[in-house]
Amino acid sequence: MRIFGMGLPELLVILVIILLIFGPKNLPKLGSALGKTVKGLREGMGSKEEEAETEVEAAVSEKPAPKSTSKTEE
């Protein structure tokens, strides 16, 4: 199992260090804050994508129809 190029032993060492720094009582608060941050980032990125799509649709609808190149005899 590789995450960001690190194996399981490296991830466990990092988790133990985090536990020692923040303590077991603050870990749920830390996890909640991290989750809210990630959720906010995803929502922000999603709204940017929606805005870009609407801008593209508006630009396409404003474009005049191409003129026909075929010649018709009158």
Side-chain angles (χ1 to χ4, degrees), residues 59-72:
V60 168
S61 65
E62 291 176 0
K63 214 184 247 189
K67 294 181 180 180
S68 177
T69 59
S70 63
K71 295 181 181 179
T72 57

Side-chain angles (χ1 to χ4, degrees), residues 3-69:
I3 299 175
F4 300 116
M6 295 183 292
L8 189 59
E10 291 89 358
L11 292 174
L12 288 175
V13 169
I14 292 171
L15 290 175
V16 168
I17 291 172
I18 290 172
L19 181 63
L20 289 173
I21 292 172
F22 293 106
K25 291 183 181 179
N26 292 330
L27 280 182
K29 294 177 188 176
L30 181 67
S32 175
L34 183 63
K36 288 179 183 178
T37 302
V38 170
K39 182 180 177 184
L41 286 172
R42 285 186 180 173
E43 289 176 354
M45 291 175 69
S47 66
K48 293 282 186 185
E49 290 174 0
E50 291 172 5
E51 290 175 9
E53 287 176 5
T54 56
E55 289 177 3
V56 168
E57 290 172 359
V60 168
S61 65
E62 291 176 0
K63 214 184 247 189
K67 294 181 180 180
S68 177
T69 59

